[in-house]
Amino acid sequence: MTYSSQLSTVGWNFEDTYCQLPDVLFGDARPVNFREPRVAVLNHALAAELGLSLDDLSDAAAAAVFAGQELPPGARPIAQAYAGHQFGGFTMLGDGRAILLGEQRTPSGQLVDIQFKGSGPTLYSRRGDGLAALGPMLREYIISEAMFGLGIPTTRSLAVVTTGETVQRETPLPGAILTRVAASHIRVGTFQFLAAQGDKANLRALADYTIARHEPEIAGSAQKYLDFVRAVIERQAALIAKWQLVGFIHGVMNTDNMAVSGETIDYGPCAFMDVYHAETVFSSIDHGGRYAYRNQPGIAQWNLARFAETLLPLLDADEDKAVELAMEALSDYAAIFDRHWLAGMRRKLGLTSEADDDRELIDELLEWMQTAEADFTNTFDDLTEREQPTDGPYVDERFQVWYSRWRDRLNRDGATTDSTRALMRSINPVVIPRNHRVEEALAAATEDGDLSVMHRHLEVLSSPFERNEASADYRTPPPPGQCYRTFCGT
Ligand code: AMP
Ligand code: MG
């Protein structure tokens, strides 16, 4: 059965600009046939932003579209090549279980990738099956949409469909496909893929393409490749600062999982911290804590150094000069990250001016939180909403001393209580996707076929700064001592 008459009105407006790049960068790919695709979740708000109207599609037609069984007009499905440092070790990779369907030109003129994840093997699958399980795909849907709600640059999730087939992991699991929307899927590892082959002409082509797509304002610059390195550094520093400010831990910051666009990408073993601890790691495979919360800013810098290295041949014909230029750009990273982080932390504490001892004030709060095992999100929420709390973890001399010091600092700012609170409310979320609640939603969906728990959660996460009856229910941290682990075997 085909749905072509229904599909002609969806509003696809595809381009295939990536296919104009050197063909070492991709290969043709085709979603496999799935017996019985069914829609698990559709993102109607995102669809509207993309200029797609899904409302008139029957469930069966929507399932056929988002399982890749009915390709949109203009689609030229490909898998993209890339390489990457995975936990420090370099490997040649590629989309092993993802297929780029095409690039949608949105009504506002943006160009975004529409990509399937879990739609079957590609030429880069190696020994993998190219498939994905329902739980992890819904998890990516929930966390990426939560990040969007929090105002953090991220790939988005347009749909999850079940395939009607099982995928074999440690146990058989229901198979699913996620449709991901991204500014692009160009990774640090995409540049590494070409650099590893010493392919300067192709590197230039990829750099020019990426600049045109993401940094058009520097396309005419006399030193555009250096400006490009600087722009990518700026975006990553800003992004990682945002992660730190909400306690988001990516979990697998390999260079293939770092998008040059500055969007958060590849939600695998990621999670948000409940209790504050700088060493927090969730991923079961991250034994050394390489990607722990406190290491994220430094790891991003390491990844950016790998990125800058790939562009050395374009920075200057003289190798020493090229290295010098790259080093200079990279040496600014720490200060840029700091500027973003400090500005964000000041807002989280309602500060409108800058004082020399602000960093000390912030560090003292974080140290207290760590010792007192206080909840990161709720502490900032309590500081926002409550007058000098003295219960629970706040029954602590050290906190009370800190609190007085903070109030003195606020008084020096001279802001009114109302304006301070408004500022803090604009940056301190009431709700984050807490692991135990995410897991509860996934269990209902995958074990009982009940998607209502996830929909309720998604609703609250779409406006995380709003305080209402529904959000109150999602503020509660997990029972103390509950140790959360996420798994990469997705
Ligand atoms: P990730 O850890 O999810 O970022 O994936 C690392 C690499 O492994 C990427 O190149 C993926 O495309 C590939 N990969 C992950 N899972 C599978 C799978 N089930 N089948 C084929 N390739 C996979
Ligand atoms: Mg990845």
Side-chain angles (χ1 to χ4, degrees):
M1 181 166 175
T2 72
Y3 302 93
S4 41
S5 60
Q6 282 187 52
L7 298 184
S8 61
T9 58
V10 165
W12 294 113
N13 186 17
F14 267 11
E15 298 183 17
D16 58 3
T17 65
Y18 202 81
C19 296
Q20 315 306 314
L21 282 167
D23 57 15
V24 292
L25 279 169
F26 59 92
D28 291 330
R30 251 347 237 216
V32 293
N33 288 322
F34 292 107
R35 252 197 312 262
E36 213 183 331
R38 279 217 184 120
V39 170
V41 52
L42 281 186
N43 192 337
H44 289 276
L46 175 58
E49 271 178 55
L50 299 175
L52 303 176
S53 53
L54 306 180
D55 298 338
D56 298 335
L57 285 186
S58 65
D59 288 351
V65 170
F66 293 111
Q69 308 302 292
E70 291 274 353
L71 295 184
R76 182 178 163 193
I78 55 166
Q80 293 172 306
Y82 49 85
H85 276 96
Q86 303 191 300
F87 289 90
F90 186 76
T91 326
M92 297 300 258
L93 298 159
D95 288 332
R97 56 162 175 173
I99 293 179
L100 175 64
L101 208 52
E103 301 137 15
Q104 170 82 353
R105 182 69 70 181
T106 71
S108 65
Q110 271 182 299
L111 195 65
V112 294
D113 281 7
I114 309 285
Q115 194 205 54
F116 290 141
K117 199 165 166 181
S119 54
T122 71
L123 75 161
Y124 306 111
S125 294
R126 295 178 292 176
R127 279 191 295 277
D129 58 10
L131 302 174
L134 179 60
M137 295 305 101
L138 290 179
R139 197 158 193 287
E140 169 151 351
Y141 189 107
I142 296 170
I143 309 279
S144 63
E145 288 305 299
M147 293 289 267
F148 175 73
L150 288 164
I152 299 174
T154 177
T155 61
R156 305 279 312 267
S157 297
L158 182 59
V160 174
V161 297
T162 51
T163 61
E165 292 167 30
T166 52
V167 298
Q168 190 55 43
R169 296 295 178 256
E170 274 166 19
T171 55
L173 297 170
I177 299 169
L178 171 81
T179 302
R180 175 157 77 177
V181 178
S184 82
H185 285 85
I186 302 165
R187 304 150 190 270
V188 166
T190 316
F191 284 87
Q192 290 182 293
F193 175 82
L194 293 176
Q197 302 169 45
D199 198 331
K200 185 173 165 184
N202 286 351
L203 260 172
R204 187 187 298 276
L206 179 64
D208 287 343
Y209 173 87
T210 311
I211 290 168
R213 195 161 168 185
H214 295 308
E215 318 289 348
E217 64 290 347
I218 62 173
S221 158
Q223 36 159 22
K224 69 172 167 180
Y225 301 112
L226 182 60
D227 289 349
F228 178 40
V229 171
R230 288 191 176 279
V232 173
I233 289 173
E234 171 69 40
R235 283 186 204 276
Q236 285 301 330
L239 177 68
I240 309 299
K242 287 201 154 97
W243 290 0
Q244 301 301 93
L245 293 170
V246 295
F248 172 77
I249 299 167
H250 183 282
V252 57
M253 287 178 71
N254 296 335
T255 55
D256 50 301
N257 292 338
M258 185 185 260
V260 167
S261 66
E263 288 182 341
T264 312
I265 194 171
D266 276 3
Y267 292 89
C270 61
F272 283 70
M273 271 196 297
D274 294 298
V275 163
Y276 177 81
H277 199 297
E279 309 289 346
T280 306
V281 176
F282 293 110
S283 168
S284 59
I285 59 168
D286 190 359
H287 305 295
R290 178 180 169 93
Y291 300 138
Y293 175 76
R294 74 162 344 136
N295 292 345
Q296 295 191 128
I299 286 290
Q301 184 175 29
W302 190 87
N303 290 350
L304 288 164
R306 304 290 76 74
F307 173 65
E309 267 166 19
T310 69
L311 291 178
L312 288 177
L314 304 180
L315 291 181
D316 202 285
D318 178 77
E319 203 184 317
D320 291 339
K321 178 75 179 140
V323 170
E324 194 184 309
L325 291 170
M327 295 290 278
E328 211 177 284
L330 286 164
S331 70
D332 289 341
Y333 169 85
I336 300 170
F337 170 80
D338 236 52
R339 173 163 55 75
H340 286 288
W341 182 82
L342 205 51
M345 274 295 178
R346 283 198 175 103
R347 284 177 60 201
K348 283 177 85 68
L349 290 176
L351 304 175
T352 52
S353 68
E354 297 175 13
D356 288 342
D357 52 0
D358 288 346
R359 177 182 300 277
E360 203 186 300
L361 185 73
I362 295 160
D363 285 345
E364 255 178 45
L365 174 65
L366 294 175
E367 278 163 33
W368 170 78
M369 281 166 66
Q370 181 158 319
T371 318
E373 301 187 1
D375 185 89
F376 183 70
T377 305
N378 287 356
T379 299
F380 283 103
D381 190 42
D382 286 340
L383 293 175
T384 308
E385 299 299 328
R386 299 180 59 189
E387 293 297 325
Q388 189 138 15
T390 53
D391 55 343
Y394 307 117
V395 189
D396 182 343
E397 171 78 17
R398 197 168 152 202
F399 173 79
Q400 296 300 328
V401 170
W402 178 86
Y403 190 91
S404 303
R405 197 178 146 194
W406 172 51
R407 297 312 302 190
D408 287 347
R409 172 67 184 85
L410 279 172
N411 289 338
R412 268 192 279 148
D413 254 9
T416 64
T417 314
D418 282 351
S419 68
T420 302
R421 189 161 279 169
L423 178 61
M424 293 175 73
R425 280 180 178 163
S426 72
I427 190 169
N428 292 319
V430 180
V431 284
I432 50 159
R434 292 185 185 272
N435 307 309
H436 63 300
R437 303 306 298 269
V438 174
E439 290 303 312
E440 168 196 77
L442 297 183
T446 58
E447 290 162 25
D448 311 328
D450 173 9
L451 295 157
S452 65
V453 183
M454 179 180 74
H455 282 292
R456 271 200 304 280
H457 201 180
L458 285 170
E459 178 66 29
V460 168
L461 292 170
S462 69
S463 49
F465 302 101
E466 245 168 66
R467 182 175 311 277
N468 51 43
E469 229 172 280
S471 66
D473 177 42
Y474 288 92
R475 280 187 84 240
T476 316
Q482 182 172 316
C483 169
Y484 186 75
R485 277 271 163 274
T486 59
F487 294 90
C488 214
T490 53

Coordinates of all heavy atoms in Angstrom, one line a residue, residues 1-10 57 61 70 73:
M1 N 0.9 -1.2 0.0 CA 0.0 0.0 0.0 C 0.9 1.2 0.0 O 1.9 1.3 0.7 CB -0.9 0.0 1.3 CG -1.8 1.2 1.4 SD -3.0 0.8 2.6 CE -3.8 2.4 2.7
T2 N 0.5 2.2 -0.8 CA 1.3 3.4 -0.8 C 0.4 4.6 -0.3 O -0.8 4.5 -0.3 CB 1.9 3.8 -2.2 OG1 0.8 4.2 -3.0 CG2 2.6 2.6 -2.8
Y3 N 1.0 5.6 0.1 CA 0.3 6.7 0.7 C 0.6 8.0 -0.1 O 0.5 9.1 0.5 CB 0.7 6.9 2.1 CG 0.5 5.7 3.0 CD1 1.5 4.8 3.1 CD2 -0.7 5.4 3.6 CE1 1.3 3.6 3.9 CE2 -1.0 4.3 4.3 CZ 0.1 3.4 4.5 OH -0.1 2.3 5.3
S4 N 0.9 7.9 -1.4 CA 1.5 9.0 -2.1 C 0.5 10.2 -2.1 O 1.0 11.4 -2.0 CB 1.9 8.7 -3.5 OG 1.0 7.8 -4.0
S5 N -0.8 10.0 -2.2 CA -1.7 11.1 -2.2 C -1.7 11.9 -0.9 O -1.6 13.1 -0.9 CB -3.1 10.7 -2.6 OG -3.6 9.8 -1.6
Q6 N -1.6 11.2 0.2 CA -1.5 11.9 1.5 C -0.2 12.6 1.7 O -0.1 13.6 2.3 CB -1.6 10.8 2.6 CG -3.0 10.4 2.9 CD -3.0 9.5 4.2 OE1 -2.5 9.8 5.2 NE2 -3.6 8.3 4.0
L7 N 0.9 11.9 1.2 CA 2.2 12.5 1.4 C 2.5 13.7 0.6 O 3.4 14.5 1.0 CB 3.3 11.4 1.1 CG 3.1 10.1 2.0 CD1 4.3 9.2 1.7 CD2 3.2 10.5 3.5
S8 N 1.8 13.9 -0.5 CA 2.1 15.0 -1.3 C 1.8 16.4 -0.6 O 2.3 17.4 -1.0 CB 1.4 14.9 -2.7 OG 0.0 14.9 -2.4
T9 N 1.0 16.3 0.4 CA 0.6 17.6 1.1 C 1.4 17.8 2.4 O 1.1 18.7 3.1 CB -0.9 17.6 1.4 OG1 -1.2 16.4 2.2 CG2 -1.7 17.5 0.1
V10 N 2.3 16.9 2.7 CA 3.0 17.0 4.0 C 3.9 18.3 4.1 O 4.0 18.9 5.2 CB 3.9 15.8 4.2 CG1 4.9 16.0 5.4 CG2 3.0 14.6 4.6
L57 N -2.2 13.2 8.1 CA -1.7 11.9 7.8 C -2.5 10.8 8.6 O -2.6 11.1 9.8 CB -0.2 11.8 8.1 CG 0.8 12.4 7.1 CD1 2.2 12.0 7.6 CD2 0.5 11.9 5.7
A61 N 0.0 6.0 7.5 CA 0.9 6.8 6.6 C 2.1 7.5 7.4 O 3.2 7.4 6.9 CB 0.1 7.9 5.9
E70 N 8.3 5.0 3.0 CA 7.8 5.9 2.0 C 8.7 7.1 2.0 O 8.6 8.0 2.8 CB 6.3 6.4 2.3 CG 5.3 5.3 2.2 CD 4.8 5.1 0.8 OE1 5.1 6.0 -0.1 OE2 4.0 4.2 0.6
P73 N 9.4 13.1 -1.5 CA 10.0 13.5 -2.7 C 11.3 14.3 -2.6 O 11.4 15.1 -1.6 CB 8.9 14.5 -3.3 CG 8.0 14.8 -2.1 CD 8.1 13.7 -1.1

